[in-house]
Amino acid sequence: MTETDATGVAPHSFPMARGCPFAPPEEYAELRRQGPVSRVTLPTGRPAWIVTGYREVRAVLADPRVSADIRHPNFPALVDGEQEVGARTRPFIRMDPPEHTRFRRMLLAEMTVRKARRMRRDVQRIVDERIDELLAGGPPVDLVTHFAHTVSSTVMCELVGVRRSDPWFRRVTGTLGSQVFGGGASTAEGAAEGIGALSAVMDGIIAERQRDLGDDLLSRLIAERLHTGEVTREELITTVAILVVAGWETTTNQIALSVLALLDNPELIAELRADHTRFPAAVEELLRVLSVGDSIALRTATEDIQFGDHVIRKGDGVIPLLAAANNDETVFQDPEKIDFERNGKQHVAFSYGIHQCVGQNIARLELVTAISTLLDRVPTLRAAAPLHEVRFRHEGIAFGPEQVLVTW
């Protein structure tokens, strides 16, 4: 395959639309057969490389010659203004070591497997309360706004120390809801406004916590990182805001899309109801197949990198595609099939390398609890509208349905 056509323009446009919501774009497989990397044109008009092979995606994500710093001139931003906003706000997911290491280490200490297990009872309570509300209201209901969104936003709020009874709770969740469901995340300016509004709320919460520290993540970050001078107030505000948004949006979409996929394949629900111990494996497989955060890993090469017959030049934008890697047929047999017996292969739905998702332990707990409890407590759950009528969002950091009407 040629890297550019006769006019010097990359022959493929990116991003590419999913033909089926439960599978990556069909073009990924064809491009992968032609080679692990392909040249594309982004909506901004910039050229970039997409990486579609599993081994190559992992290699790029682990390569110190590939930078996540959004300030690089050819950073492969997908929306006009995204780079300018990121350069101003400096989210830690768009940084390189040693800056990124400082923030990552700070957050990882709060999101270990042990701490996730300690949250199990609270996550179960949150899910049960949301299902109680669904059942009390009666069908039909939108599973996205009334379950997936409320569960994930409540978990993220409680993670940082904001309970539902806290006056700050409605301000946080209201900001989250307006950012995406109001359409704000479809533009860089809208996303910046959403992050800015959430940051303002976080600033107020931090001010309150400083006067009365508690036993929660935010209080510990204030006492151990802010008061010691390890981070500035602005850095703490931005970091917590990005943590909440990233954890909320990806999990909201993963819950909703997972349930939709299961409802579209009732035999899979039967398998899970026959053996509840299979839910953790089912969630891993759904993470692999659905890969809602497909193009979240935006990178720039800092040196020339050889991939077969292609050379990614220093300064070129690079997008390692997580959905493409997770559906690489040379690694995952029949990759489009949702197979709960699949084992021995490591998906990259949470990315890979030094930028692997810091909240993956909590996300796994939340997904298993939300999906298993919903199917257990609402055994007659079914879609209230055919799949072809469901609309999907491609904006933001995660692919997912706008609305999933269900009944029982």
Side-chain angles (χ1 to χ4, degrees):
M1 183 188 74
T2 59
E3 296 180 9
T4 57
D5 63 19
T7 66
V9 177
H12 302 283
S13 296
F14 187 85
M16 300 161 181
R18 296 191 183 202
C20 169
F22 313 133
E26 295 177 359
E27 293 93 335
Y28 287 8
E30 178 58 31
L31 291 174
R32 189 167 50 244
R33 282 191 286 271
Q34 297 176 21
V37 298
S38 304
R39 198 74 161 155
V40 297
T41 299
L42 305 178
T44 60
R46 286 181 181 174
W49 295 90
I50 57 171
V51 186
T52 52
Y54 175 85
R55 297 170 187 83
E56 291 78 13
V57 164
R58 283 169 55 108
V60 166
L61 291 171
D63 197 324
R65 299 171 297 173
V66 179
S67 169
D69 194 330
I70 198 169
R71 297 172 299 177
H72 281 289
N74 288 326
F75 182 84
L78 300 180
V79 178
D80 284 325
E82 177 184 358
Q83 187 173 18
E84 291 75 15
V85 169
R88 186 171 67 250
T89 58
R90 299 301 314 283
F92 71 94
I93 63 173
R94 301 297 186 215
M95 293 179 178
D96 291 332
E99 281 185 296
H100 171 262
T101 307
R102 178 163 60 100
F103 293 102
R104 182 175 178 83
R105 186 181 296 122
M106 177 177 75
L107 295 174
L108 278 176
E110 294 290 339
M111 298 188 182
T112 62
V113 172
R114 177 179 296 181
K115 291 196 174 183
R117 288 172 179 164
R118 287 171 56 186
M119 288 186 65
R120 188 183 304 276
R121 185 173 298 177
D122 287 331
V123 173
Q124 186 66 64
R125 169 183 52 78
I126 291 167
V127 171
D128 280 331
E129 288 174 353
R130 302 296 78 74
I131 295 177
D132 288 343
E133 292 174 355
L134 286 184
L135 296 175
V141 296
D142 174 18
L143 202 67
V144 178
T145 56
H146 297 116
F147 183 67
H149 167 58
T150 54
V151 166
S152 58
S153 60
T154 306
V155 169
M156 292 310 298
C157 281
E158 294 206 5
L159 173 66
V160 300
V162 180
R163 290 257 176 180
R164 213 174 189 208
S165 57
D166 192 316
W168 289 104
F169 180 85
R170 286 189 178 277
R171 294 184 64 183
V172 176
T173 56
T175 302
L176 289 174
S178 64
Q179 182 194 354
V180 170
F181 293 107
S186 61
T187 66
E189 293 81 3
E193 289 176 7
I195 291 294
L198 182 59
S199 294
V201 174
M202 286 298 169
D203 188 26
I205 298 173
I206 289 171
E208 184 178 277
R209 289 291 187 280
Q210 285 184 293
R211 294 190 294 269
D212 184 18
L213 291 175
D215 182 22
D216 53 68
L217 180 148
L218 190 55
S219 293
R220 287 190 294 274
L221 292 180
I222 291 170
E224 299 170 13
R225 312 291 179 172
L226 179 61
H227 288 173
T228 61
E230 183 176 339
V231 297
T232 66
R233 185 182 186 86
E234 188 61 36
E235 286 175 334
L236 180 60
I237 291 169
T238 300
T239 299
V240 175
I242 292 295
L243 174 69
V244 170
V245 169
W248 159 73
E249 186 177 355
T250 53
T251 310
T252 293
N253 284 280
Q254 184 68 37
I255 290 173
L257 196 57
S258 294
V259 174
L260 186 61
L262 292 173
L263 292 178
D264 197 53
N265 295 273
E267 72 282 0
L268 297 177
I269 296 179
E271 288 183 31
L272 293 172
R273 285 183 173 143
D275 183 359
H276 277 211
T277 65
R278 301 175 71 183
F279 270 103
V283 163
E284 293 301 324
E285 177 68 348
L286 289 165
L287 283 164
R288 180 195 70 81
V289 171
L290 303 177
S291 296
V292 300
D294 179 25
S295 57
I296 192 173
L298 306 177
R299 303 287 188 263
T300 309
T302 59
E303 297 180 23
D304 290 357
I305 304 173
Q306 184 85 37
F307 276 102
D309 297 331
H310 301 288
V311 177
I312 296 177
R313 297 295 182 186
K314 178 180 178 179
D316 285 354
V318 187
I319 307 177
L321 296 174
L322 307 184
N326 284 334
N327 283 268
D328 187 337
E329 61 278 355
T330 68
V331 178
F332 303 98
Q333 186 176 6
D334 298 326
E336 72 287 346
K337 180 182 179 182
I338 302 176
D339 182 3
F340 299 155
E341 297 299 324
R342 199 184 299 275
N343 55 46
K345 302 296 182 184
Q346 183 65 48
H347 66 72
V348 291
F350 289 117
S351 193
Y352 183 73
I354 63 171
H355 284 275
Q356 193 170 29
C357 175
V358 295
Q360 61 182 290
N361 295 319
I362 293 169
R364 285 185 167 99
L365 168 64
E366 189 177 343
L367 291 167
V368 170
T369 305
I371 297 170
S372 64
T373 306
L374 181 67
L375 295 180
D376 184 49
R377 292 193 55 191
V378 193
T380 57
L381 187 73
R382 65 186 188 279
L387 181 61
H388 69 266
E389 292 184 6
V390 178
R391 296 174 58 187
F392 295 87
R393 289 188 300 103
H394 295 266
E395 300 90 359
I397 62 174
F399 172 84
E402 290 185 357
Q403 183 183 67
V404 177
L405 290 177
V406 294
T407 187
W408 53 86

mmCIF file of all heavy atoms in Angstrom, residues 119 153-169 172 202 205 208-209 212 214-220 240 243-244:
data_model
loop_
_atom_site.group_PDB
_atom_site.id
_atom_site.type_symbol
_atom_site.label_atom_id
_atom_site.label_comp_id
_atom_site.label_asym_id
_atom_site.label_seq_id
_atom_site.Cartn_x
_atom_site.Cartn_y
_atom_site.Cartn_z
ATOM 1 N N MET A 119 -13.402 -1.150 48.178
ATOM 2 C CA MET A 119 -14.542 -0.396 47.649
ATOM 3 C C MET A 119 -15.697 -1.296 47.233
ATOM 4 O O MET A 119 -16.765 -0.796 46.872
ATOM 5 C CB MET A 119 -14.110 0.431 46.433
ATOM 6 C CG MET A 119 -13.238 1.625 46.737
ATOM 7 S SD MET A 119 -12.950 2.614 45.239
ATOM 8 C CE MET A 119 -14.625 3.202 44.895
ATOM 9 N N SER A 153 -20.780 7.862 37.604
ATOM 10 C CA SER A 153 -20.534 9.179 38.204
ATOM 11 C C SER A 153 -20.550 9.104 39.720
ATOM 12 O O SER A 153 -19.738 9.754 40.394
ATOM 13 C CB SER A 153 -21.565 10.201 37.712
ATOM 14 O OG SER A 153 -22.882 9.819 38.044
ATOM 15 N N THR A 154 -21.445 8.280 40.281
ATOM 16 C CA THR A 154 -21.495 8.136 41.734
ATOM 17 C C THR A 154 -20.244 7.456 42.258
ATOM 18 O O THR A 154 -19.681 7.855 43.286
ATOM 19 C CB THR A 154 -22.746 7.349 42.173
ATOM 20 O OG1 THR A 154 -23.920 7.962 41.634
ATOM 21 C CG2 THR A 154 -22.865 7.299 43.690
ATOM 22 N N VAL A 155 -19.778 6.422 41.571
ATOM 23 C CA VAL A 155 -18.543 5.739 41.983
ATOM 24 C C VAL A 155 -17.368 6.708 41.954
ATOM 25 O O VAL A 155 -16.560 6.757 42.891
ATOM 26 C CB VAL A 155 -18.257 4.514 41.086
ATOM 27 C CG1 VAL A 155 -16.849 3.974 41.348
ATOM 28 C CG2 VAL A 155 -19.282 3.416 41.345
ATOM 29 N N MET A 156 -17.248 7.492 40.880
ATOM 30 C CA MET A 156 -16.130 8.426 40.785
ATOM 31 C C MET A 156 -16.222 9.501 41.864
ATOM 32 O O MET A 156 -15.200 9.908 42.429
ATOM 33 C CB MET A 156 -16.077 9.066 39.400
ATOM 34 C CG MET A 156 -15.718 8.106 38.277
ATOM 35 S SD MET A 156 -14.239 7.095 38.613
ATOM 36 C CE MET A 156 -12.979 8.357 38.765
ATOM 37 N N CYS A 157 -17.436 9.968 42.157
ATOM 38 C CA CYS A 157 -17.599 10.957 43.225
ATOM 39 C C CYS A 157 -17.177 10.377 44.572
ATOM 40 O O CYS A 157 -16.434 11.015 45.333
ATOM 41 C CB CYS A 157 -19.054 11.433 43.290
ATOM 42 S SG CYS A 157 -19.494 12.656 42.042
ATOM 43 N N GLU A 158 -17.646 9.169 44.873
ATOM 44 C CA GLU A 158 -17.308 8.567 46.153
ATOM 45 C C GLU A 158 -15.827 8.207 46.233
ATOM 46 O O GLU A 158 -15.238 8.215 47.314
ATOM 47 C CB GLU A 158 -18.193 7.355 46.425
ATOM 48 C CG GLU A 158 -19.657 7.723 46.608
ATOM 49 C CD GLU A 158 -20.432 6.730 47.452
ATOM 50 O OE1 GLU A 158 -19.807 5.788 47.995
ATOM 51 O OE2 GLU A 158 -21.657 6.894 47.574
ATOM 52 N N LEU A 159 -15.228 7.902 45.084
ATOM 53 C CA LEU A 159 -13.795 7.614 45.062
ATOM 54 C C LEU A 159 -13.010 8.812 45.584
ATOM 55 O O LEU A 159 -12.073 8.651 46.374
ATOM 56 C CB LEU A 159 -13.342 7.263 43.641
ATOM 57 C CG LEU A 159 -11.826 7.101 43.439
ATOM 58 C CD1 LEU A 159 -11.312 5.883 44.208
ATOM 59 C CD2 LEU A 159 -11.496 6.976 41.961
ATOM 60 N N VAL A 160 -13.374 10.006 45.140
ATOM 61 C CA VAL A 160 -12.643 11.198 45.590
ATOM 62 C C VAL A 160 -13.162 11.733 46.915
ATOM 63 O O VAL A 160 -12.579 12.669 47.475
ATOM 64 C CB VAL A 160 -12.666 12.320 44.522
ATOM 65 C CG1 VAL A 160 -12.040 11.850 43.248
ATOM 66 C CG2 VAL A 160 -14.079 12.840 44.292
ATOM 67 N N GLY A 161 -14.260 11.171 47.421
ATOM 68 C CA GLY A 161 -14.740 11.549 48.744
ATOM 69 C C GLY A 161 -15.992 12.387 48.762
ATOM 70 O O GLY A 161 -16.278 13.073 49.756
ATOM 71 N N VAL A 162 -16.774 12.364 47.673
ATOM 72 C CA VAL A 162 -18.025 13.130 47.614
ATOM 73 C C VAL A 162 -19.197 12.150 47.597
ATOM 74 O O VAL A 162 -19.476 11.515 46.583
ATOM 75 C CB VAL A 162 -18.069 14.038 46.369
ATOM 76 C CG1 VAL A 162 -19.382 14.824 46.330
ATOM 77 C CG2 VAL A 162 -16.886 14.995 46.359
ATOM 78 N N ARG A 163 -19.863 12.021 48.730
ATOM 79 C CA ARG A 163 -21.008 11.109 48.839
ATOM 80 C C ARG A 163 -22.265 11.741 48.240
ATOM 81 O O ARG A 163 -22.337 12.955 48.052
ATOM 82 C CB ARG A 163 -21.258 10.766 50.306
ATOM 83 C CG ARG A 163 -20.180 9.885 50.919
ATOM 84 C CD ARG A 163 -20.664 8.474 51.020
ATOM 85 N NE ARG A 163 -19.642 7.568 51.502
ATOM 86 C CZ ARG A 163 -19.834 6.269 51.664
ATOM 87 N NH1 ARG A 163 -21.022 5.744 51.377
ATOM 88 N NH2 ARG A 163 -18.874 5.487 52.088
ATOM 89 N N ARG A 164 -23.275 10.915 48.003
ATOM 90 C CA ARG A 164 -24.505 11.418 47.392
ATOM 91 C C ARG A 164 -25.217 12.421 48.298
ATOM 92 O O ARG A 164 -25.933 13.292 47.825
ATOM 93 C CB ARG A 164 -25.436 10.241 47.083
ATOM 94 C CG ARG A 164 -26.278 10.500 45.826
ATOM 95 C CD ARG A 164 -27.090 9.295 45.450
ATOM 96 N NE ARG A 164 -27.710 9.498 44.136
ATOM 97 C CZ ARG A 164 -28.828 8.942 43.758
ATOM 98 N NH1 ARG A 164 -29.476 8.146 44.577
ATOM 99 N NH2 ARG A 164 -29.317 9.161 42.559
ATOM 100 N N SER A 165 -25.001 12.298 49.592
ATOM 101 C CA SER A 165 -25.629 13.229 50.540
ATOM 102 C C SER A 165 -24.873 14.550 50.626
ATOM 103 O O SER A 165 -25.362 15.519 51.213
ATOM 104 C CB SER A 165 -25.682 12.591 51.933
ATOM 105 O OG SER A 165 -24.369 12.219 52.366
ATOM 106 N N ASP A 166 -23.687 14.608 50.040
ATOM 107 C CA ASP A 166 -22.861 15.813 50.064
ATOM 108 C C ASP A 166 -23.455 16.853 49.113
ATOM 109 O O ASP A 166 -23.797 16.543 47.977
ATOM 110 C CB ASP A 166 -21.447 15.443 49.617
ATOM 111 C CG ASP A 166 -20.428 16.550 49.885
ATOM 112 O OD1 ASP A 166 -20.749 17.712 49.615
ATOM 113 O OD2 ASP A 166 -19.317 16.226 50.342
ATOM 114 N N PRO A 167 -23.586 18.107 49.541
ATOM 115 C CA PRO A 167 -24.113 19.159 48.646
ATOM 116 C C PRO A 167 -23.307 19.308 47.353
ATOM 117 O O PRO A 167 -23.844 19.779 46.347
ATOM 118 C CB PRO A 167 -24.008 20.427 49.510
ATOM 119 C CG PRO A 167 -24.063 19.934 50.919
ATOM 120 C CD PRO A 167 -23.346 18.615 50.907
ATOM 121 N N TRP A 168 -22.027 18.918 47.390
ATOM 122 C CA TRP A 168 -21.200 19.027 46.191
ATOM 123 C C TRP A 168 -21.560 17.978 45.142
ATOM 124 O O TRP A 168 -21.210 18.125 43.965
ATOM 125 C CB TRP A 168 -19.721 18.873 46.544
ATOM 126 C CG TRP A 168 -19.137 20.024 47.294
ATOM 127 C CD1 TRP A 168 -18.848 20.081 48.629
ATOM 128 C CD2 TRP A 168 -18.760 21.298 46.761
ATOM 129 N NE1 TRP A 168 -18.318 21.310 48.963
ATOM 130 C CE2 TRP A 168 -18.250 22.068 47.828
ATOM 131 C CE3 TRP A 168 -18.808 21.863 45.482
ATOM 132 C CZ2 TRP A 168 -17.793 23.375 47.658
ATOM 133 C CZ3 TRP A 168 -18.349 23.162 45.306
ATOM 134 C CH2 TRP A 168 -17.846 23.902 46.381
ATOM 135 N N PHE A 169 -22.243 16.914 45.560
ATOM 136 C CA PHE A 169 -22.494 15.788 44.654
ATOM 137 C C PHE A 169 -23.244 16.230 43.399
ATOM 138 O O PHE A 169 -22.854 15.899 42.272
ATOM 139 C CB PHE A 169 -23.279 14.687 45.380
ATOM 140 C CG PHE A 169 -23.589 13.483 44.522
ATOM 141 C CD1 PHE A 169 -22.671 12.453 44.384
ATOM 142 C CD2 PHE A 169 -24.797 13.380 43.838
ATOM 143 C CE1 PHE A 169 -22.938 11.351 43.594
ATOM 144 C CE2 PHE A 169 -25.077 12.285 43.041
ATOM 145 C CZ PHE A 169 -24.136 11.265 42.929
ATOM 146 N N VAL A 172 -21.099 18.166 40.943
ATOM 147 C CA VAL A 172 -20.155 17.342 40.171
ATOM 148 C C VAL A 172 -20.885 16.561 39.089
ATOM 149 O O VAL A 172 -20.515 16.605 37.907
ATOM 150 C CB VAL A 172 -19.379 16.373 41.092
ATOM 151 C CG1 VAL A 172 -18.485 15.451 40.248
ATOM 152 C CG2 VAL A 172 -18.526 17.142 42.088
ATOM 153 N N MET A 202 -14.202 21.363 41.699
ATOM 154 C CA MET A 202 -13.154 20.689 42.468
ATOM 155 C C MET A 202 -12.384 21.680 43.340
ATOM 156 O O MET A 202 -11.962 21.349 44.452
ATOM 157 C CB MET A 202 -12.192 19.960 41.524
ATOM 158 C CG MET A 202 -12.766 18.704 40.911
ATOM 159 S SD MET A 202 -13.173 17.473 42.189
ATOM 160 C CE MET A 202 -14.112 16.284 41.201
ATOM 161 N N ILE A 205 -14.361 22.110 46.418
ATOM 162 C CA ILE A 205 -14.289 20.927 47.292
ATOM 163 C C ILE A 205 -12.948 20.877 48.007
ATOM 164 O O ILE A 205 -12.868 20.579 49.205
ATOM 165 C CB ILE A 205 -14.513 19.642 46.466
ATOM 166 C CG1 ILE A 205 -15.904 19.641 45.841
ATOM 167 C CG2 ILE A 205 -14.332 18.403 47.351
ATOM 168 C CD1 ILE A 205 -16.136 18.492 44.868
ATOM 169 N N GLU A 208 -12.831 23.262 50.858
ATOM 170 C CA GLU A 208 -13.587 22.748 52.006
ATOM 171 C C GLU A 208 -12.811 21.648 52.722
ATOM 172 O O GLU A 208 -12.765 21.608 53.957
ATOM 173 C CB GLU A 208 -14.942 22.234 51.530
ATOM 174 C CG GLU A 208 -15.844 21.763 52.656
ATOM 175 C CD GLU A 208 -17.202 21.299 52.146
ATOM 176 O OE1 GLU A 208 -18.066 22.165 51.936
ATOM 177 O OE2 GLU A 208 -17.369 20.079 51.935
ATOM 178 N N ARG A 209 -12.200 20.737 51.943
ATOM 179 C CA ARG A 209 -11.436 19.641 52.544
ATOM 180 C C ARG A 209 -10.229 20.174 53.317
ATOM 181 O O ARG A 209 -9.832 19.598 54.336
ATOM 182 C CB ARG A 209 -10.959 18.675 51.470
ATOM 183 C CG ARG A 209 -12.051 17.836 50.845
ATOM 184 C CD ARG A 209 -12.628 16.814 51.827
ATOM 185 N NE ARG A 209 -13.540 15.936 51.127
ATOM 186 C CZ ARG A 209 -14.791 16.220 50.820
ATOM 187 N NH1 ARG A 209 -15.296 17.400 51.180
ATOM 188 N NH2 ARG A 209 -15.556 15.357 50.179
ATOM 189 N N ASP A 212 -11.201 20.808 56.684
ATOM 190 C CA ASP A 212 -11.634 19.642 57.472
ATOM 191 C C ASP A 212 -11.290 18.366 56.699
ATOM 192 O O ASP A 212 -12.127 17.806 56.003
ATOM 193 C CB ASP A 212 -13.143 19.730 57.743
ATOM 194 C CG ASP A 212 -13.637 18.606 58.642
ATOM 195 O OD1 ASP A 212 -12.800 17.978 59.330
ATOM 196 O OD2 ASP A 212 -14.857 18.338 58.637
ATOM 197 N N GLY A 214 -10.683 14.608 55.650
ATOM 198 C CA GLY A 214 -11.351 13.362 56.002
ATOM 199 C C GLY A 214 -10.498 12.163 55.617
ATOM 200 O O GLY A 214 -9.292 12.282 55.385
ATOM 201 N N ASP A 215 -11.140 10.997 55.541
ATOM 202 C CA ASP A 215 -10.441 9.775 55.144
ATOM 203 C C ASP A 215 -10.904 9.400 53.746
ATOM 204 O O ASP A 215 -11.645 8.441 53.537
ATOM 205 C CB ASP A 215 -10.743 8.644 56.130
ATOM 206 C CG ASP A 215 -9.979 7.353 55.781
ATOM 207 O OD1 ASP A 215 -8.951 7.460 55.081
ATOM 208 O OD2 ASP A 215 -10.438 6.264 56.185
ATOM 209 N N ASP A 216 -10.479 10.177 52.776
ATOM 210 C CA ASP A 216 -10.856 9.923 51.396
ATOM 211 C C ASP A 216 -9.676 10.276 50.494
ATOM 212 O O ASP A 216 -8.682 10.869 50.934
ATOM 213 C CB ASP A 216 -12.100 10.720 51.000
ATOM 214 C CG ASP A 216 -11.952 12.209 51.291
ATOM 215 O OD1 ASP A 216 -11.126 12.849 50.628
ATOM 216 O OD2 ASP A 216 -12.657 12.726 52.188
ATOM 217 N N LEU A 217 -9.781 9.899 49.226
ATOM 218 C CA LEU A 217 -8.679 10.097 48.288
ATOM 219 C C LEU A 217 -8.282 11.565 48.199
ATOM 220 O O LEU A 217 -7.088 11.899 48.254
ATOM 221 C CB LEU A 217 -9.077 9.565 46.910
ATOM 222 C CG LEU A 217 -8.048 9.683 45.774
ATOM 223 C CD1 LEU A 217 -8.190 8.514 44.802
ATOM 224 C CD2 LEU A 217 -8.225 10.988 44.995
ATOM 225 N N LEU A 218 -9.250 12.450 48.048
ATOM 226 C CA LEU A 218 -8.933 13.856 47.887
ATOM 227 C C LEU A 218 -8.244 14.417 49.129
ATOM 228 O O LEU A 218 -7.268 15.170 49.022
ATOM 229 C CB LEU A 218 -10.203 14.652 47.581
ATOM 230 C CG LEU A 218 -10.001 16.111 47.158
ATOM 231 C CD1 LEU A 218 -9.062 16.205 45.968
ATOM 232 C CD2 LEU A 218 -11.347 16.746 46.833
ATOM 233 N N SER A 219 -8.717 14.045 50.308
ATOM 234 C CA SER A 219 -8.095 14.517 51.548
ATOM 235 C C SER A 219 -6.656 14.027 51.656
ATOM 236 O O SER A 219 -5.763 14.773 52.085
ATOM 237 C CB SER A 219 -8.903 14.042 52.762
ATOM 238 O OG SER A 219 -10.176 14.652 52.802
ATOM 239 N N ARG A 220 -6.420 12.778 51.265
ATOM 240 C CA ARG A 220 -5.049 12.254 51.330
ATOM 241 C C ARG A 220 -4.140 12.968 50.333
ATOM 242 O O ARG A 220 -2.975 13.257 50.627
ATOM 243 C CB ARG A 220 -5.051 10.747 51.074
ATOM 244 C CG ARG A 220 -5.608 9.939 52.238
ATOM 245 C CD ARG A 220 -5.367 8.454 52.062
ATOM 246 N NE ARG A 220 -6.107 7.897 50.942
ATOM 247 C CZ ARG A 220 -7.377 7.469 51.030
ATOM 248 N NH1 ARG A 220 -8.033 7.552 52.177
ATOM 249 N NH2 ARG A 220 -8.003 6.961 49.971
ATOM 250 N N VAL A 240 -7.331 15.783 39.381
ATOM 251 C CA VAL A 240 -8.543 15.143 39.907
ATOM 252 C C VAL A 240 -9.693 15.293 38.914
ATOM 253 O O VAL A 240 -10.477 14.357 38.701
ATOM 254 C CB VAL A 240 -8.911 15.724 41.285
ATOM 255 C CG1 VAL A 240 -10.241 15.139 41.768
ATOM 256 C CG2 VAL A 240 -7.817 15.422 42.294
ATOM 257 N N LEU A 243 -9.096 12.825 36.127
ATOM 258 C CA LEU A 243 -9.329 11.480 36.653
ATOM 259 C C LEU A 243 -10.817 11.165 36.691
ATOM 260 O O LEU A 243 -11.250 10.089 36.249
ATOM 261 C CB LEU A 243 -8.733 11.377 38.056
ATOM 262 C CG LEU A 243 -9.003 10.072 38.816
ATOM 263 C CD1 LEU A 243 -8.249 8.919 38.174
ATOM 264 C CD2 LEU A 243 -8.591 10.226 40.286
ATOM 265 N N VAL A 244 -11.610 12.098 37.188
ATOM 266 C CA VAL A 244 -13.056 11.888 37.300
ATOM 267 C C VAL A 244 -13.692 11.759 35.919
ATOM 268 O O VAL A 244 -14.488 10.850 35.661
ATOM 269 C CB VAL A 244 -13.700 13.027 38.110
ATOM 270 C CG1 VAL A 244 -15.222 12.956 38.013
ATOM 271 C CG2 VAL A 244 -13.268 12.957 39.565
#
